[in-house]
Every structure is written in C-alpha cells, then in structure tokens.
C-alpha cells in the first residue's frame, strides 16, 4: 500500500510547502505550518471538490452603466445586533462571528433566529450540541422557537442537501470548525476542511440568496482559528469582546462589505439571554460621589456611535530601577510616547514614577483621540487634584506637542452635552461655529496651553 503523501499548509494564508519550516515564506508568520494529507483523486464522486463558478460568464460593462442600488436588508429583532451588521442581514450575505467559548455567540444567534423565524424560514445547524441541549437553552431563555428548524449534523454534503430541500432564507452553522467534507480525508477543523467547507457554503449563499451565519472558534491569542482566507471570503466578520466573568458583552464589526466597520454593539447578559444596552456610555463611566484624582472622561467614536469612556490613571513613586508602564484598554507603546511628550513640551517628568492607565468597563480604545485624556488623567493623579465636575475632552497629541483634531467632533460634543457634561476641552480645529447650549468650550492648540487653561478653571 502506497504511503500517504503529506504537505505543510500555513494556517494564516493557506500557502503550502513540501517540508516544515518555522516561518511561512508567503506571509512571514511564525509557527503556522501544519501537516496535512495531500488529497488525491479516486472513485468517490466526492473525491474532487467541485469548484463551480458563482454565475454564468458576464459581459464586460462600463461602471457608469451599472445601476447602483441599495442592498435590501431585514432586521433580526435585536437592535444592537442590527447596528453592528450595518442595519440588518442581507440576502445572500455570509457573516462570520467569533469569540471566546461561553461568551454568548450561540445564545445571541438563537435569539436572533427565533425573532426572524416569525417572518422568514430559518434553519439552525448545530455541530457541537445536540437538539435536546439547544431545546433546553431555548426553554431557559423563554424563546418562542415553534417556527425554528434545527439540524444536528457535521457532514457538509448532508447540510447542503438540507439547504437545497428546505430552502431557508437564513441559516446558522455552529460551528464551521466542526464540519467536514467527504471530498477531503483530513480531520474536521483542519486548514483544508475549514477552507473547503466555508467556500462551498459561500458559493451556495451567493447562488441561492440564503443568508448564512458561520460561528468560528478563536485561538488563545483571540484571532479566528483556521486559515486567514476564511475572513477574506465572507462578507462580514464580527468579534465578541469582553470578559466571560462580566455581565457585559461587546460585538465589534471588523469587516463589513455592506456597512461601516468598527461598529460596536453593547449587550448585557441576563437570565433571559443577551439584551441590548440603550445607553452604553453609562457602562464606561464610574460612579463617584465626588470627583477623584486621576479620572478623565473622553468621547470616543466607535463606528457611527460616540461613546463616553472614563480614563483612569494612577501615578506612584517607583521603587524599582525601571519605572513600570502598564496600560489596559489602550496601546502601551503609545503611553510611553505620550509620557515623553509630557516631559518635553509640558515640563512634567515621570521617569521615576510608575504609571498605570485603565479604560473603565473593559472597552478597547484604538483611536489616537484618547491622547489628551490620558495626559490630563496622568497630570491629575500626579498633582492629586481632581478635574472639574462635568469635564470632558478629546484630541490627538503629536510629537511636537500640538493638539490635532479628531473626526466627527460635533457629534462627540452633542453626545457629551446630552449626558450633562458642561465643560469640553477640544482641539481648536474642532471648535464649533455655533455655541452648544449648556456647554463651554476650551479650544487648545498645544499641550502646554491645555495645562494652562486647566489650572485656570480648577
């Protein structure tokens, strides 16, 4: 009997090699080469994957002659979920949602399918749980699932046959890593199986107009498991964020061909499942009876939604040769850069101080508009003097000490005014042309100017 031939496939980009290497030569990632069997032809009718085109060959057209029409959507009945999706689900769209185990992926999709099932034909395909387990969860969540169809199956060909017979309008596959195809001999969850199963399901979605939602596992680093091509072939990629020990969950859109990216949906985990949070800014603001040193509120922009987040700083004398720099929710390398700007352009040194920064509520802030809030929180903690009540800021700090504008400044200010903040320190370029009722504006150009105006109002 001939020995089975093997090759090594990169789990990130899908590149193949005849021998193992520590680094992929295509994407330059380390320790991503996984041994797989080389698929060969046989008598089995499934031995060769059928890579069919999505449609007949189309003529070449001028872009100006093509009608640009809005993609029709339908809601899931969960407002926060629809916001992240860009307004709802799209017929023929493929959505990939990933997150840590137990964070609420299956719960959210079960609630969404139950809502959609009253208007459309839906199918829930489970490869991880039995039908009895899902029925028990639906009973615990008090979900009306009389119109929801369920199939517990992991073989791709049987699932495709069910989709062809039942013709649902929405289908959930939970999860893509548990599926396997008879066309391949590798185990479920391998690079080849995940890639092939996702490609076949995507082809069916585009041909038939079925909206398919794929659930994906994540690695210990938090990235979606499987080949990187999995994220490229789908239309929308959503990530669940948040600590599984906390009652709050964040769903963020990383990729969306039908809507804005970096949209954020905020949910609270209750006994009846995930519930959307109507005022998420309240989650990220600590409740203090009195103003405390080292606390500064900023307005961040998550997609189309402005959010108020409290930035906390603790500065203490260091008892080690090298002072510690720790940042939770913000980029740590940027903290070191901001401390250098603080010393060079404001004359405030922290080389002998331990500096700890935290974004309240577990939210991750990636935009540079948090720079000014971080520096003001550090300055407040060093002086042990709280910032004024009702004080809110935003603005990017450059290496030359200048305060750069942030996008959508008017929306940020209106959101802060709506929540009762009365003093805003913002970049001069973001200063509104018309005054905002109930709010005084402090427009600054440089970091030393910001500290000067702050001392005047304290």
């Amino acid at each position: 009997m001939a020995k089975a031939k093997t090759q090594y496939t990169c789990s990130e980009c899908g590149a193949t090699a005849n021998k193992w290497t520590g680094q992929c030569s295509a994407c330059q990632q380390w320790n991503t080469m996984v041994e797989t069997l080389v698929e060969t032809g046989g008598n089995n009718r499934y031995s060769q994957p059928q890579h069919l085109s999505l449609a007949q060959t189309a003529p070449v057209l001028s872009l100006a002659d093509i009608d640009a029409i809005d993609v029709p959507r339908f809601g899931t009945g969960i407002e926060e979920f629809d916001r992240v999706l860009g307004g709802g689900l799209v017929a023929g769209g493929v959505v990939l949602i990933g997150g840590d185990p137990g964070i609420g992926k299956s719960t959210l999709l079960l609630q969404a399918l139950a809502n959609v099932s009253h208007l459309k034909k839906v199918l829930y395909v489970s490869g991880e749980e039995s039908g009895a387990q899902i029925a028990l969860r639906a009973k615990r969540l008090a979900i009306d699932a009389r119109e929801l169809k369920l199939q517990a199956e992991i073989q791709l060909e049987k699932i495709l046959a069910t989709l062809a017979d039942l013709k649902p309008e929405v289908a959930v596959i939970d999860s893509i890593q548990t599926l396997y195809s008879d066309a391949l001999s590798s185990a479920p969850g391998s690079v080849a199986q995940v890639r092939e199963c996702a490609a076949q399901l995507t082809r069916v979605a585009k041909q038939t107009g079925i909206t398919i939602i794929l659930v994906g596992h994540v690695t210990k680093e938090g990235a979606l498991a499987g080949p990187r091509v999995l994220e490229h072939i789908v239309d929308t990629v959503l990530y669940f964020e948040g600590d599984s020990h906390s009652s709050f969950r964040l769903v963020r859109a990383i990729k969306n061909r039908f809507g804005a990216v970096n949209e954020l949906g905020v949910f609270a985990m209750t006994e009846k499942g995930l519930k959307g949070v109507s005022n998420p800014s309240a989650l990220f603001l600590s409740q203090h009876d009195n103003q405390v040193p080292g606390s500064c509120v900023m307005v961040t922009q998550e997609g189309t939604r402005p959010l108020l987040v409290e930035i906390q700083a603790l500065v203490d004398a260091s008892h080690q040769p090298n002072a510690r720099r720790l940042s939770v929710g913000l980029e740590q390398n940027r903290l070191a850069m901001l401390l250098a700007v603080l010393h060079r352009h404001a004359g405030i040194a922290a080389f002998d101080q331990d500096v700890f920064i935290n974004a309240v509520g577990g939210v991750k802030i990636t935009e540079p508009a948090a720079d000014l809030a971080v520096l003001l929180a550090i300055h407040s903690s060093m002086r042990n003097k709280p910032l004024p009540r009702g004080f809110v800021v935003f603005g990017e700090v450059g290496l030359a000490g200048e305060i750069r504008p942030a996008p959508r400044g008017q929306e940020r200010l209106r959101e802060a005014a709506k929540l009762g903040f009365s003093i805003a320190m913002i970049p001069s370029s973001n200063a509104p042309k018309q005054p905002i009722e109930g709010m005084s504006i402090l427009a600054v150009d440089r970091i030393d100017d910001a500290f000067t105006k702050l001392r005047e109002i304290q």
Side-chain angles (χ1 to χ4, degrees), residues 169-370:
E169 295 177 80
V170 183
V172 169
I173 311 296
D174 187 5
S175 64
I176 187 64
Q177 276 82 10
T178 61
L179 301 191
Y180 76 94
S181 171
D182 279 344
L184 306 175
S185 59
S186 52
S190 63
V191 173
Q193 287 285 9
V194 171
R195 183 174 55 205
E196 177 64 18
C197 292
Q200 294 279 11
L201 289 170
T202 301
R203 178 178 62 84
V204 170
K206 301 304 180 185
Q207 285 182 336
T208 62
I210 300 174
T211 301
I212 295 182
I213 304 176
L214 307 176
V215 178
H217 295 169
V218 295
T219 62
K220 61 182 180 180
E221 291 83 12
L224 279 163
R228 199 70 178 184
V229 70
L230 184 63
E231 299 184 39
H232 291 292
I233 64 176
V234 300
D235 298 311
T236 306
V237 179
L238 307 180
Y239 272 94
F240 256 94
E241 297 178 1
D243 189 354
S244 59
H245 302 291
S246 172
S247 60
F248 298 110
R249 305 287 189 269
L250 308 178
V251 180
R252 188 186 302 273
I254 304 299
K255 171 189 175 181
N256 195 347
R257 288 176 180 160
F258 306 112
V261 295
N262 286 328
E263 281 286 0
L264 188 71
V266 184
F267 298 88
M269 179 64 80
T270 66
E271 294 181 354
K272 298 300 182 181
L274 288 166
K275 304 294 183 183
V277 177
S278 58
N279 183 19
S281 294
L283 300 180
F284 309 126
L285 297 177
S286 293
Q287 303 298 325
H288 300 299
D289 295 333
N290 298 311
Q291 294 295 102
V292 296
S295 174
C296 182
V297 177
M298 69 157 294
V299 191
T300 184
Q301 192 79 20
E302 292 288 351
T304 59
R305 163 187 282 175
L307 290 178
L308 272 76
V309 180
E310 181 179 354
I311 304 297
Q312 293 181 336
L314 176 61
V315 181
D316 194 18
S318 178
H319 301 286
Q320 299 178 3
N322 296 322
R324 298 182 64 189
R325 305 284 187 260
L326 182 62
S327 178
V328 179
L330 297 105
E331 188 179 356
Q332 191 155 339
N333 290 335
R334 196 164 187 87
L335 172 60
M337 183 193 74
L338 291 175
L339 290 174
V341 173
L342 184 66
H343 181 212
R344 179 66 179 271
H345 298 287
I348 301 173
F351 57 86
D352 57 346
Q353 305 283 322
D354 290 333
V355 180
F356 305 94
I357 299 293
N358 177 44
V360 172
V363 66
K364 295 180 181 178
I365 301 176
T366 57
E367 66 165 352

